[in-house]
Amino acid sequence: MSDVLNHLALHCRRLFLRNHTVDVRIGAHDFEKHAPQRIVFNVELFVPYSASTPTQDDLAEVVDYDFIREVIARRVAQGHIVLQETLCDDLMRELIAHPQVQAVRLSTCKPDVYPDCEGVGVEIFQTKLPT
């Protein structure tokens, strides 16, 4: 795995969306099913320099950050999600399918579930590179 991470670090630009907060209908517990709750998304896309180095200073030459936000918005709009794992897996499938994206790190965090911790969440990482 370290060879893959080294390759990504040397050959890819890391695009990120940090602390993107969205109200989501999510949760397995009864108290979570009555109203949306805040989910904090952190997403990193690894895009090869060859596919993310603009020559004309044009948005069409790179992966647009709106792509990440739109993927999240579309999935959230589909209705109640029971598990953060399901949400992460669904988002990962769409993000990693982008032709320019070589790897994705994605996390979700529910900051309001328990009063005795900052949040609970899930993080996943996937790459198209052989491991």
Coordinates of all heavy atoms in Angstrom, one line a residue, residues 7-70:
H7 N 3.2 6.7 -5.0 CA 2.9 7.1 -6.4 C 1.9 8.3 -6.4 O 2.1 9.2 -7.2 CB 2.3 5.9 -7.1 CG 1.9 6.2 -8.5 ND1 2.8 6.2 -9.6 CD2 0.7 6.6 -9.1 CE1 2.2 6.6 -10.7 NE2 0.9 6.8 -10.4
L8 N 0.9 8.2 -5.6 CA -0.1 9.3 -5.6 C 0.5 10.6 -5.2 O 0.2 11.6 -5.8 CB -1.3 8.9 -4.7 CG -2.2 7.7 -5.2 CD1 -3.1 7.3 -4.1 CD2 -2.9 8.1 -6.4
A9 N 1.3 10.5 -4.2 CA 2.0 11.7 -3.7 C 2.9 12.4 -4.7 O 3.0 13.6 -4.8 CB 2.8 11.4 -2.4
L10 N 3.6 11.5 -5.5 CA 4.5 12.1 -6.5 C 3.9 12.4 -7.8 O 4.5 13.3 -8.5 CB 5.6 11.0 -6.7 CG 6.6 10.7 -5.5 CD1 7.5 9.5 -5.9 CD2 7.4 12.0 -5.2
H11 N 2.8 11.8 -8.2 CA 2.3 12.0 -9.5 C 0.9 12.6 -9.6 O 0.4 12.8 -10.7 CB 2.2 10.6 -10.2 CG 3.6 10.0 -10.3 ND1 4.5 10.5 -11.3 CD2 4.2 9.0 -9.6 CE1 5.6 9.8 -11.1 NE2 5.5 8.9 -10.1
C12 N 0.3 12.9 -8.4 CA -1.1 13.4 -8.5 C -1.2 14.7 -7.7 O -0.5 15.0 -6.7 CB -2.0 12.4 -7.8 SG -2.3 10.9 -8.8
R13 N -2.1 15.5 -8.1 CA -2.6 16.7 -7.4 C -3.7 16.2 -6.5 O -4.5 15.4 -6.9 CB -3.1 17.7 -8.4 CG -3.4 19.0 -7.9 CD -3.9 20.0 -9.0 NE -3.0 20.1 -10.1 CZ -2.1 20.9 -10.3 NH1 -1.8 21.8 -9.3 NH2 -1.3 20.9 -11.4
R14 N -3.7 16.7 -5.3 CA -4.7 16.3 -4.3 C -5.7 17.5 -4.2 O -5.4 18.5 -3.7 CB -4.1 16.0 -2.9 CG -5.1 15.5 -1.9 CD -4.4 15.1 -0.6 NE -3.6 16.2 0.0 CZ -4.1 16.9 1.0 NH1 -5.3 16.7 1.5 NH2 -3.4 17.9 1.5
L15 N -6.9 17.2 -4.7 CA -8.0 18.2 -4.5 C -8.8 17.8 -3.3 O -9.0 16.7 -3.0 CB -8.9 18.1 -5.8 CG -8.3 18.2 -7.1 CD1 -9.3 18.1 -8.2 CD2 -7.5 19.5 -7.3
F16 N -9.3 18.8 -2.6 CA -10.0 18.5 -1.4 C -11.2 19.4 -1.1 O -11.2 20.6 -1.6 CB -9.1 18.4 -0.1 CG -8.4 19.7 0.1 CD1 -9.0 20.7 0.9 CD2 -7.1 19.9 -0.3 CE1 -8.3 21.9 1.2 CE2 -6.4 21.0 -0.1 CZ -7.0 22.0 0.7
L17 N -12.2 18.9 -0.5 CA -13.4 19.6 0.0 C -13.4 19.3 1.5 O -13.5 18.1 1.9 CB -14.6 19.1 -0.7 CG -15.9 19.7 -0.3 CD1 -16.0 21.1 -0.8 CD2 -17.1 18.9 -0.8
R18 N -13.2 20.3 2.3 CA -13.0 20.1 3.8 C -14.2 20.6 4.5 O -14.7 21.7 4.3 CB -11.8 20.9 4.3 CG -10.5 20.2 4.0 CD -9.4 20.7 4.8 NE -8.2 20.1 4.4 CZ -7.1 20.8 4.1 NH1 -7.0 22.1 4.3 NH2 -6.0 20.2 3.7
N19 N -14.7 19.8 5.5 CA -15.7 20.2 6.4 C -17.0 20.8 5.7 O -17.6 21.7 6.1 CB -15.2 21.2 7.4 CG -14.1 20.6 8.2 OD1 -14.1 19.4 8.6 ND2 -13.1 21.4 8.5
H20 N -17.4 20.1 4.6 CA -18.6 20.4 3.9 C -19.8 19.9 4.7 O -19.9 18.7 4.9 CB -18.5 19.8 2.5 CG -19.7 20.0 1.7 ND1 -20.3 21.3 1.4 CD2 -20.5 19.1 1.0 CE1 -21.3 21.1 0.6 NE2 -21.5 19.8 0.4
T21 N -20.6 20.8 5.3 CA -21.6 20.3 6.2 C -23.0 20.4 5.5 O -23.4 21.4 4.9 CB -21.6 21.3 7.4 OG1 -20.3 21.2 8.0 CG2 -22.7 20.8 8.4
V22 N -23.7 19.3 5.6 CA -25.0 19.1 4.9 C -26.0 18.4 5.9 O -25.6 17.5 6.7 CB -24.8 18.2 3.7 CG1 -26.2 18.0 3.0 CG2 -23.8 18.8 2.7
D23 N -27.2 18.9 5.9 CA -28.2 18.2 6.7 C -28.7 17.0 5.9 O -29.1 17.1 4.7 CB -29.4 19.1 6.9 CG -29.1 20.2 7.9 OD1 -28.2 20.0 8.8 OD2 -29.8 21.3 7.9
V24 N -28.6 15.8 6.6 CA -28.9 14.5 5.9 C -29.9 13.8 6.7 O -29.8 13.7 8.0 CB -27.6 13.7 5.7 CG1 -27.8 12.4 5.1 CG2 -26.5 14.5 4.9
R25 N -30.8 13.1 6.1 CA -31.7 12.2 6.7 C -30.9 10.8 6.8 O -30.9 10.1 5.9 CB -33.0 12.0 6.0 CG -33.8 13.4 5.9 CD -35.2 13.3 5.5 NE -36.0 12.6 6.4 CZ -36.5 13.1 7.6 NH1 -36.2 14.3 7.9 NH2 -37.3 12.4 8.4
I26 N -30.4 10.6 8.0 CA -29.5 9.4 8.2 C -29.6 8.9 9.6 O -29.9 9.7 10.6 CB -28.0 9.8 7.9 CG1 -27.2 8.5 7.8 CG2 -27.5 10.8 8.8 CD1 -25.8 8.7 7.2
G27 N -29.5 7.6 9.8 CA -29.5 7.0 11.1 C -30.3 5.8 11.3 O -31.3 5.6 10.6
A28 N -29.8 4.9 12.1 CA -30.5 3.6 12.4 C -31.3 3.7 13.6 O -32.3 2.9 13.8 CB -29.4 2.5 12.6
H29 N -31.0 4.6 14.6 CA -31.8 4.7 15.8 C -33.1 5.5 15.6 O -33.1 6.4 14.8 CB -30.9 5.4 16.9 CG -29.6 4.6 17.1 ND1 -29.6 3.4 17.7 CD2 -28.3 4.9 16.8 CE1 -28.4 3.0 17.8 NE2 -27.6 3.9 17.3
D30 N -34.1 5.2 16.4 CA -35.4 5.9 16.3 C -35.2 7.4 16.4 O -35.8 8.2 15.7 CB -36.3 5.4 17.4 CG -36.9 4.0 17.0 OD1 -36.8 3.6 15.8 OD2 -37.4 3.3 18.0
F31 N -34.4 7.9 17.4 CA -34.2 9.3 17.5 C -33.6 10.0 16.3 O -33.6 11.2 16.2 CB -33.4 9.6 18.8 CG -32.0 9.3 18.8 CD1 -31.0 10.2 18.3 CD2 -31.5 8.0 19.3 CE1 -29.7 9.8 18.3 CE2 -30.2 7.7 19.3 CZ -29.3 8.6 18.8
E32 N -33.0 9.2 15.4 CA -32.3 9.8 14.2 C -33.3 9.8 13.0 O -32.9 10.4 12.0 CB -31.1 9.0 13.9 CG -30.0 9.0 14.9 CD -28.8 8.1 14.5 OE1 -29.0 6.9 14.4 OE2 -27.7 8.7 14.3
K33 N -34.4 9.2 13.2 CA -35.3 9.1 12.0 C -36.4 10.2 11.9 O -37.1 10.2 10.9 CB -36.0 7.7 12.1 CG -35.0 6.5 11.9 CD -35.7 5.2 12.0 CE -34.7 4.1 11.9 NZ -35.3 2.8 12.1
H34 N -36.4 11.1 12.8 CA -37.4 12.1 12.8 C -37.0 13.4 12.1 O -37.9 14.2 11.7 CB -37.9 12.4 14.2 CG -38.4 11.2 14.9 ND1 -39.6 10.5 14.5 CD2 -37.9 10.5 15.9 CE1 -39.8 9.5 15.3 NE2 -38.8 9.4 16.2
A35 N -35.8 13.7 12.0 CA -35.3 14.9 11.4 C -33.9 14.7 10.8 O -33.2 13.8 11.3 CB -35.3 16.0 12.4
P36 N -33.5 15.5 9.9 CA -32.2 15.5 9.3 C -31.2 15.8 10.4 O -31.5 16.5 11.4 CB -32.1 16.5 8.2 CG -33.5 17.0 8.1 CD -34.3 16.6 9.2
Q37 N -30.0 15.4 10.2 CA -28.9 15.7 11.1 C -27.7 16.2 10.3 O -27.5 15.8 9.2 CB -28.5 14.6 12.1 CG -28.2 13.3 11.5 CD -28.0 12.2 12.5 OE1 -27.2 12.3 13.5 NE2 -28.8 11.1 12.4
R38 N -26.8 16.9 11.0 CA -25.6 17.4 10.3 C -24.6 16.3 10.0 O -24.4 15.5 10.9 CB -24.9 18.5 11.1 CG -25.6 19.8 11.2 CD -24.7 20.8 11.9 NE -24.1 20.3 13.2 CZ -22.9 20.7 13.6 NH1 -22.2 21.6 13.0 NH2 -22.5 20.3 14.8
I39 N -24.1 16.3 8.8 CA -23.1 15.4 8.4 C -21.9 16.3 7.9 O -22.2 17.2 7.0 CB -23.5 14.4 7.3 CG1 -24.6 13.5 7.8 CG2 -22.3 13.5 6.9 CD1 -24.2 12.4 8.9
V40 N -20.7 16.0 8.3 CA -19.6 16.8 7.9 C -18.8 15.8 6.9 O -18.4 14.7 7.3 CB -18.7 17.2 9.0 CG1 -17.5 18.0 8.5 CG2 -19.5 18.1 10.0
F41 N -18.6 16.3 5.7 CA -18.0 15.5 4.6 C -16.6 16.1 4.4 O -16.4 17.3 4.4 CB -18.7 15.6 3.3 CG -20.1 15.0 3.3 CD1 -21.2 15.7 3.7 CD2 -20.2 13.7 2.9 CE1 -22.4 15.2 3.7 CE2 -21.5 13.1 2.9 CZ -22.6 13.8 3.3
N42 N -15.6 15.2 4.3 CA -14.2 15.5 3.9 C -13.9 14.6 2.8 O -14.0 13.4 2.9 CB -13.3 15.4 5.1 CG -13.4 16.6 6.0 OD1 -12.9 17.7 5.7 ND2 -14.0 16.4 7.1
V43 N -13.5 15.2 1.6 CA -13.2 14.4 0.4 C -11.9 14.9 -0.2 O -11.6 16.1 -0.3 CB -14.4 14.6 -0.6 CG1 -14.1 13.8 -1.9 CG2 -15.7 14.3 0.0
E44 N -11.1 13.9 -0.5 CA -9.8 14.2 -1.3 C -9.9 13.4 -2.6 O -10.2 12.2 -2.5 CB -8.6 13.7 -0.4 CG -8.5 14.5 0.8 CD -7.3 14.0 1.6 OE1 -6.5 13.1 1.2 OE2 -7.1 14.5 2.7
L45 N -9.6 14.0 -3.7 CA -9.5 13.4 -5.0 C -8.0 13.5 -5.4 O -7.4 14.5 -5.3 CB -10.4 14.0 -6.0 CG -11.9 14.2 -5.7 CD1 -12.6 14.8 -6.9 CD2 -12.5 12.8 -5.4
F46 N -7.5 12.4 -5.9 CA -6.1 12.4 -6.4 C -6.2 12.3 -7.9 O -6.7 11.3 -8.5 CB -5.4 11.2 -5.8 CG -5.2 11.3 -4.3 CD1 -6.2 10.9 -3.4 CD2 -4.0 11.8 -3.8 CE1 -6.0 11.0 -2.1 CE2 -3.8 11.9 -2.4 CZ -4.8 11.5 -1.6
V47 N -5.7 13.3 -8.6 CA -5.8 13.5 -10.0 C -4.4 13.6 -10.6 O -3.7 14.5 -10.1 CB -6.7 14.7 -10.4 CG1 -6.8 14.8 -11.9 CG2 -8.1 14.6 -9.7
P48 N -4.0 12.8 -11.6 CA -2.7 12.9 -12.1 C -2.4 14.4 -12.6 O -3.3 15.0 -13.1 CB -2.7 12.0 -13.3 CG -3.8 11.0 -13.0 CD -4.8 11.8 -12.2
Y49 N -1.2 14.8 -12.4 CA -0.8 16.1 -12.9 C -1.1 16.3 -14.4 O -1.6 17.3 -14.8 CB 0.7 16.4 -12.7 CG 1.0 16.7 -11.2 CD1 1.8 15.8 -10.5 CD2 0.5 17.8 -10.6 CE1 2.2 16.0 -9.2 CE2 0.9 18.1 -9.3 CZ 1.7 17.2 -8.6 OH 2.0 17.4 -7.3
S50 N -1.0 15.2 -15.1 CA -1.3 15.3 -16.6 C -2.7 15.6 -16.9 O -3.1 16.1 -17.9 CB -0.9 14.0 -17.3 OG -1.6 12.9 -16.7
A51 N -3.6 15.3 -15.9 CA -5.0 15.5 -16.1 C -5.6 16.7 -15.3 O -6.8 17.0 -15.2 CB -5.8 14.3 -15.8
S52 N -4.6 17.4 -14.6 CA -5.1 18.5 -13.8 C -4.2 19.7 -13.8 O -4.2 20.6 -12.9 CB -5.1 18.0 -12.3 OG -3.9 17.6 -11.8
T53 N -3.3 19.8 -14.8 CA -2.5 21.0 -15.0 C -2.9 21.8 -16.2 O -2.7 21.4 -17.3 CB -1.0 20.5 -15.2 OG1 -0.6 19.7 -14.0 CG2 -0.1 21.7 -15.3
P54 N -3.6 22.9 -15.9 CA -4.2 23.6 -17.0 C -3.1 24.4 -17.8 O -2.1 24.8 -17.3 CB -5.1 24.6 -16.3 CG -4.6 24.7 -14.9 CD -3.9 23.4 -14.6
T55 N -3.4 24.4 -19.1 CA -2.5 25.2 -20.0 C -3.2 26.5 -20.5 O -2.5 27.4 -20.9 CB -2.2 24.3 -21.3 OG1 -3.3 24.0 -22.0 CG2 -1.4 23.1 -20.9
Q56 N -4.5 26.5 -20.4 CA -5.3 27.7 -20.8 C -6.0 28.4 -19.6 O -6.8 29.3 -19.9 CB -6.3 27.3 -21.8 CG -5.8 26.6 -23.0 CD -4.9 27.4 -23.9 OE1 -5.2 28.6 -24.1 NE2 -3.7 26.9 -24.2
D57 N -5.7 28.0 -18.4 CA -6.3 28.6 -17.2 C -7.9 28.5 -17.4 O -8.6 29.5 -17.1 CB -5.9 30.0 -17.0 CG -6.2 30.6 -15.6 OD1 -6.3 29.8 -14.7 OD2 -6.5 31.8 -15.5
D58 N -8.3 27.3 -17.8 CA -9.7 27.1 -18.0 C -10.3 26.0 -17.1 O -9.6 24.9 -17.0 CB -9.9 26.7 -19.5 CG -11.3 26.7 -20.0 OD1 -12.2 26.3 -19.1 OD2 -11.6 26.9 -21.1
L59 N -11.4 26.2 -16.5 CA -12.0 25.2 -15.6 C -12.2 23.9 -16.3 O -12.2 22.8 -15.6 CB -13.4 25.8 -15.1 CG -14.1 25.0 -14.1 CD1 -13.3 24.8 -12.8 CD2 -15.4 25.7 -13.7
A60 N -12.5 23.8 -17.6 CA -12.7 22.6 -18.3 C -11.4 21.7 -18.3 O -11.5 20.5 -18.6 CB -13.1 22.9 -19.7
E61 N -10.3 22.2 -17.9 CA -9.1 21.5 -17.9 C -8.8 20.7 -16.6 O -7.8 20.0 -16.5 CB -7.9 22.4 -18.2 CG -7.9 23.1 -19.6 CD -6.7 24.0 -19.7 OE1 -6.8 25.1 -19.2 OE2 -5.8 23.5 -20.4
V62 N -9.6 20.9 -15.7 CA -9.4 20.3 -14.3 C -10.7 19.6 -13.8 O -11.8 19.8 -14.4 CB -8.9 21.3 -13.3 CG1 -7.6 21.9 -13.7 CG2 -10.0 22.4 -13.1
V63 N -10.6 18.9 -12.7 CA -11.8 18.4 -12.1 C -12.4 19.5 -11.2 O -11.7 20.1 -10.4 CB -11.5 17.2 -11.2 CG1 -12.7 16.7 -10.4 CG2 -10.9 16.1 -12.0
D64 N -13.6 19.9 -11.5 CA -14.3 21.0 -10.8 C -14.7 20.6 -9.4 O -15.3 19.5 -9.2 CB -15.5 21.4 -11.7 CG -16.2 22.7 -11.2 OD1 -15.9 23.1 -10.1 OD2 -17.0 23.2 -12.0
Y65 N -14.5 21.4 -8.4 CA -15.0 21.1 -7.1 C -16.5 20.9 -7.0 O -17.0 20.1 -6.1 CB -14.6 22.2 -6.1 CG -13.1 22.5 -6.1 CD1 -12.6 23.7 -6.7 CD2 -12.2 21.6 -5.5 CE1 -11.3 23.9 -6.7 CE2 -10.8 21.9 -5.5 CZ -10.4 23.1 -6.1 OH -9.0 23.3 -6.1
D66 N -17.2 21.5 -7.9 CA -18.7 21.4 -7.9 C -19.0 19.9 -8.2 O -20.1 19.5 -7.7 CB -19.3 22.2 -9.0 CG -19.3 23.7 -8.6 OD1 -19.2 24.0 -7.4 OD2 -19.5 24.5 -9.5
F67 N -18.2 19.2 -8.8 CA -18.4 17.7 -9.1 C -18.6 17.0 -7.7 O -19.6 16.2 -7.6 CB -17.3 17.1 -9.9 CG -17.2 15.6 -9.8 CD1 -18.2 14.8 -10.4 CD2 -16.2 15.0 -9.2 CE1 -18.1 13.4 -10.4 CE2 -16.1 13.6 -9.1 CZ -17.1 12.8 -9.7
I68 N -17.8 17.3 -6.8 CA -17.8 16.6 -5.5 C -19.1 17.0 -4.8 O -19.9 16.2 -4.3 CB -16.6 17.0 -4.6 CG1 -15.3 16.7 -5.3 CG2 -16.7 16.3 -3.2 CD1 -14.1 17.3 -4.6
R69 N -19.4 18.3 -4.8 CA -20.6 18.8 -4.1 C -21.9 18.2 -4.7 O -22.8 17.9 -4.0 CB -20.6 20.3 -4.1 CG -19.5 20.9 -3.2 CD -19.4 22.4 -3.5 NE -20.6 23.1 -3.4 CZ -21.1 23.7 -2.2 NH1 -20.4 23.6 -1.1 NH2 -22.3 24.3 -2.2
E70 N -21.9 18.1 -6.0 CA -23.1 17.6 -6.7 C -23.3 16.1 -6.5 O -24.4 15.6 -6.3 CB -22.9 17.8 -8.3 CG -23.1 19.3 -8.6 CD -22.6 19.6 -10.0 OE1 -22.2 18.7 -10.8 OE2 -22.6 20.8 -10.4

